[in-house]
Amino acid sequence: MKDFAGTPGTLTGLFLRMGQCFFAAGAIASMVTSKGFFNVTAFCYLIASMALQVIWSFGLAFFDAYFLAKKKSFHNHVLLSLFVVGDWCTGLLSLAAAASSAGVTVLYFHDLGSCSFGEECTKFQLSVAFAFLSWISILISSLIMFWIWAAG
């Protein structure tokens, strides 16, 4: 197994995981600070999905930091298989949550004329933007993990 950018135990792999964690936490924080998010199922699903993403990404970032500190390469095929499946599952959940929340946000802003929630609408939009940014970093990481797994 060859080490390249984004593989577990590298600095870029750690940055990808921390980016996922940061953007998912930003999506949660901006949604939770709004008052009426719990009235929309898609927004509740976004919070649940992003919370799972924070836990998953933080756990894998911990593994990356551990392997960086020990200056070892990560070449365990069984754990790599687990990481591939976990990345793809959390990636699909995050995409579904971000897309459904974006659909509701578009409904509020464009289809209904304007958002009647006032300042809360910008928080909804910010949360959806953070969710998509988190998903983009998940996509990059999951493709790298799948590539490593398939090559191993």
Side-chain angles (χ1 to χ4, degrees):
M1 218 180 290
K2 191 174 182 179
D3 288 336
F4 55 91
T7 59
T10 62
L11 194 59
T12 52
L14 179 64
F15 285 150
L16 272 173
R17 297 297 178 183
M18 293 307 293
Q20 293 168 18
C21 199
F22 171 75
F23 289 131
I28 291 170
S30 63
M31 188 63 75
V32 170
T33 57
S34 64
K35 295 176 187 166
F37 78 90
F38 52 85
N39 293 327
V40 181
T41 306
F43 293 159
C44 293
Y45 176 55
L46 178 74
I47 289 176
S49 174
M50 290 296 115
L52 178 66
Q53 186 61 48
V54 166
I55 293 167
W56 177 256
S57 297
F58 186 75
L60 293 185
F62 179 76
F63 274 114
D64 284 337
Y66 173 77
F67 284 113
L68 276 172
K70 295 292 183 179
K71 296 185 190 298
K72 291 184 178 179
S73 295
F74 181 79
H75 294 294
N76 189 336
H77 195 70
V78 174
L79 278 178
L80 188 63
S81 299
L82 174 72
F83 293 167
V84 167
V85 171
D87 272 348
W88 281 92
C89 288
T90 58
L92 288 174
L93 285 172
S94 298
L95 176 62
S100 63
S101 297
V104 172
T105 306
V106 166
L107 174 73
Y108 282 153
F109 271 96
H110 296 290
D111 297 341
L112 298 178
S114 66
C115 185
S116 62
F117 294 117
E119 190 177 303
E120 304 299 313
C121 292
T122 56
K123 291 180 183 179
F124 295 155
Q125 287 179 329
L126 184 62
S127 179
V128 169
F130 274 134
F132 274 112
L133 288 172
S134 177
W135 176 74
I136 288 170
S137 60
I138 295 165
L139 175 68
I140 294 167
S141 181
S142 63
L143 287 174
I144 289 170
M145 295 294 273
F146 184 70
W147 185 8
I148 295 168
W149 178 75

